[in-house]
Structures are given as C-alpha cells and as structure tokens.
Amino acid sequence: MTAPPAPTAPPAPPKQPPPPVRARVRVSASARTAGCIISADGSYAARLARAAGSPDAWYPERWTLGSAEPYAVPLPGNQPEEPGTEVLPMADGRVLVHRVVGERHVFTLLYPTGPDTGEVPLGAVECGELSLLPPAPGGTRAYAVAPGTRSSDIWLVAGGAFGPEHLAAVPGRCSGGVWLDGTDRMLALDRELDGRTKTVAVDLERGGEVSPLLQISEDSDDRLLLADADSGLLLIRSDAPGDSRLGWGVLGGTRPVRFPESLRLPDLTVTPFAIQPGQVLTPEACGVALRIDGPGPADPAGGGSSWLGVWRPAARQVHQLAAPAGWLTGSGWWTRDGELCLPYATGAAPCGVARVTGPATPAVASPTDPPADPPADSPANPSADSPAVEASQGDAPPASPPPSPDPPKPSATRPVPLQQAPLGGRTAGG
C-alpha cells in the first residue's frame, strides 16, 4: 500500500524589508540652552523655526543682523528637520546644518536661491556622539567635537578642502567649547578624565596640543563657560568653594579667580551667555549678560520661567530685568558701547532685536596687571611667554598696578593653568 504524499508546506511569507533607520537625535548643550546661534561678529544668526500651522515641522531660518533692520530668511529643505538638528551661521550668510542619521553625522551648507533653498553637501562623519562647537572667530570654518569614553575627536566640518577633516584626538571625554583668542587656534574644552572635569586648552595649529587651563583644586570640577578675547575675562563654574558656584578670572592676569556672593541667587539657575567686547585692559568693566531660570508658569515651548540679569565684575549686584516677549532664550550679544541686543520672535514681529542699556560701569581702580610668572608652587612648567591665570574668591575687584607704557602685542600663546587657588580662610564680599 502506497503511503499518501506528505502535505506540501505552505510557502514562506515574503521577507519583509527592514524598517527604515530613524535618525537618533542627540541634542547638544548649545541647542538646549540657546534659542538661536549668533555668529562671532554678530552679523548673522541661525535657528530652527516651527512651520506655521505645523508645530512638529521644523526648518532652518537665517537672521541677518548687520542691516539697518534685522530680517529672517527661511531655508526649508525637502523634508522637515528633526527638532535636535543643529544649525550654525557662517560669515558669508550661509547656514551649516548638522543632521544625524543612524551613526552618520551629515553636514550641509544652506543658502537662499529665490523662493528655494540651495544646498552644498559637505560630507559626513561616522561616529556615536558629535556636536557642533560655537561659531569660530574667523567665521569661515566650523568645528565639531565627538566625545568618546577614552578620547574625543575634534573635526573641521566646514571650510576645509575635502570635506570633514580630523584635526586632533584629545584624551578623555570632552564637552563644552570656548574660543580663547580672536583666531581659530586656541580652543578650550571641558575634559572629564579620571573622574574629574577640568578645562584644557587645545592648540589646533600644533596638532591638538593640550595644556591645562582650569585646575582650581585637585578634587574640584572646573568648567569654562565664556571667554572674551579682548579683555581676557573668563566666566567659570566650579565646586571648589564647596558647592557649584559661578566665578570669574582673567586670562593673562595674576589675580585669583573670584566667586562673588552677588552671583549666588537662591533657588535660581544663573547661566552667563554674553560678554561685552572691547574692554581691552579693564575686564572688571565688562558687562556680562545672564540667563536666570526659576520656578514659574511654563511657556508654550514647554520651558520654565526665564528672565535677564546684567552683571559686571566691578559691581556687587546683579541687575535683574524682564526679558522681551518672544525672547530666543539664552541668546544675545553686546556692542562695544555696552548695549545688550536680544533677538526675539512673536506673531506680530517674527524677527526683532530688543536693545537694553546696562547699568553704568562702576569706577575701576586701574587696568589689569600685565602677565606675570605663575606661582612658585604651581606644578606646571609653562613657557616664558605664556600669560598667567590664577584663582580666589570675593566680590570687589582688586587694586592693580598701572600697566607698562608699551604693553606687548597679543600673541597666540598657551595659557598657564589656573590652579592651587587659596580658597580656605577667605571671606566672600558683597
């Protein structure tokens, strides 16, 4: 007897294509804290704007700030941007866009072409995390940092000859990013290494040579928030005094860093975002713009209540001011004459700049003393032409000797580390 044939197995279902790779958005610190990014010379700004009637649709927008009246130019692409897309204005008016697709970081320059948007593809970098650094002083190049567990890579992503170029690898995990000079050479990064965060200076013209910048105490976490190349004023956050405090020092000076009581606002978060330029020998007279965040009703974007503060190292108080309606929170710039400019966008004025005149500059005893040798107990051994920076606390600016008749011309030298601060036994002023 012949056995019946075995039943035929049903055909296998067709193999489904893998789901499309979605962009994994990593929002950088600058994207979280600033409503727009302003070029180093203040001529342009860029931000992500929401499309009218589509709150989830984002597109890049360029602001022209150097004209008599500011105006905005939308730069939409073929599809909406992810909310974490980074944008950065270039000196020629183009806008650099950083998009993340999987493990690829794609860079494109956008520019207006009548009703459309022109694009210049620049290439991509394959890595995990990567964030754009603040606009470079020269304005023609753009840089990015890719932090890793053991080392961090610095990339030139716009302005190079052949697409993204790897410039340096810095040991440790790096974040932040502050330019220390008026060129694209000296870059400060907050480096996490061996469980502590210290700011280091990276010389991009010497293959990424690293030297310490902030070492207030051995066990403290010291971060650089802002720097002004004209005056050398530095804004610092450190827990060296016992808790996380804002402080200030001078790059190239011999006085210690101060942690003034006037910058301690209970239950509020204070973040400096702009320093007044042009105060070459008087860093104590520089206006500093502060973003102040505290409890309050949420705004339409989901944030808390934010307002303004204006402070100078020579003063003993923070002047708190209401922010203009529609302020692009955490954004702004100073003129050399002491006028604070704040970009804002409302339904009635989609592109505007509010101008605030800060409080009068207190009298400063004398300009900052010229560079001097580092303290004798400093473990660093800098070159003889390096400007010194140190650290301490208090509100009132120190009296300094008059400057030499012919101060040396500024040069791109390696900073001396700010370290071994005499923090014990001091009484904070104001």
Side-chain angles (χ1 to χ4, degrees), residues 265-363:
L265 303 182
D267 301 322
L268 300 176
T269 301
V270 181
T271 306
F273 64 87
I275 299 177
Q276 179 185 355
Q279 314 303 303
V280 177
L281 293 176
T282 55
E284 298 92 343
C286 288
V288 178
L290 308 170
R291 168 183 172 173
I292 304 175
D293 293 282
D299 61 25
S305 178
S306 301
W307 60 97
L308 287 167
V310 176
W311 173 82
R312 299 179 191 272
R316 290 177 176 266
Q317 62 178 323
V318 172
H319 295 265
Q320 300 187 43
L321 309 168
W327 179 37
L328 303 183
T329 310
S331 316
W333 72 98
W334 288 92
T335 67
R336 292 176 176 266
D337 297 329
E339 190 175 54
L340 179 58
C341 303
L342 304 168
Y344 67 90
T346 65
C351 177
V353 175
R355 301 182 183 272
V356 177
T357 302
T361 305

Side-chain angles (χ1 to χ4, degrees), residues 168-195:
V170 179
R173 182 178 178 84
C174 294
S175 59
V178 176
W179 295 101
L180 296 175
D181 59 358
T183 68
D184 300 359
R185 176 175 179 176
M186 298 301 298
L187 173 67
L189 292 171
D190 300 329
R191 178 174 69 173
E192 182 183 350
L193 189 65
D194 299 329

Side-chain angles (χ1 to χ4, degrees), residues 137-405:
T140 60
R141 292 178 284 188
Y143 300 82
V145 60
T149 304
R150 297 184 178 179
S151 66
S152 300
D153 295 316
I154 301 175
W155 290 84
L156 173 67
V157 296
F162 305 104
E165 299 177 18
H166 183 263
L167 299 181
V170 179
R173 182 178 178 84
C174 294
S175 59
V178 176
W179 295 101
L180 296 175
D181 59 358
T183 68
D184 300 359
R185 176 175 179 176
M186 298 301 298
L187 173 67
L189 292 171
D190 300 329
R191 178 174 69 173
E192 182 183 350
L193 189 65
D194 299 329
R196 293 295 175 191
T197 299
K198 307 286 184 183
T199 302
V200 296
V202 182
D203 191 335
L204 298 183
E205 288 191 3
R206 293 187 178 182
E209 183 177 273
V210 178
S211 56
L213 181 64
L214 294 183
Q215 292 183 351
I216 298 180
S217 71
E218 184 178 349
D219 298 326
S220 62
D221 290 323
D222 313 316
R223 294 176 172 85
L224 181 63
L225 305 180
L226 288 178
D228 176 62
D230 292 337
S231 63
L233 179 63
L234 306 178
L235 273 297
I236 296 158
R237 191 181 299 278
S238 173
D239 60 5
D243 57 349
S244 183
R245 297 271 299 273
L246 281 180
W248 68 279
V250 180
L251 184 67
T254 59
R255 300 292 181 177
V257 167
R258 283 158 177 72
F259 297 93
E261 286 292 321
S262 58
L263 290 178
R264 299 187 75 179
L265 303 182
D267 301 322
L268 300 176
T269 301
V270 181
T271 306
F273 64 87
I275 299 177
Q276 179 185 355
Q279 314 303 303
V280 177
L281 293 176
T282 55
E284 298 92 343
C286 288
V288 178
L290 308 170
R291 168 183 172 173
I292 304 175
D293 293 282
D299 61 25
S305 178
S306 301
W307 60 97
L308 287 167
V310 176
W311 173 82
R312 299 179 191 272
R316 290 177 176 266
Q317 62 178 323
V318 172
H319 295 265
Q320 300 187 43
L321 309 168
W327 179 37
L328 303 183
T329 310
S331 316
W333 72 98
W334 288 92
T335 67
R336 292 176 176 266
D337 297 329
E339 190 175 54
L340 179 58
C341 303
L342 304 168
Y344 67 90
T346 65
C351 177
V353 175
R355 301 182 183 272
V356 177
T357 302
T361 305
V364 178
S366 61
T368 302
D369 45 341
D373 293 333
D377 60 352
S378 172
N381 184 23
S383 57
D385 61 346
S386 297
V389 203
E390 298 180 51
S392 157
Q393 68 182 9
D395 246 335
S400 307
S404 57

Side-chain angles (χ1 to χ4, degrees), residues 403-429:
S404 57
D406 297 310
K409 294 182 179 179
S411 58
T413 53
R414 287 177 293 171
V416 174
L418 190 156
Q419 60 190 143
Q420 302 216 354
L423 293 171
R426 290 183 177 267
T427 303

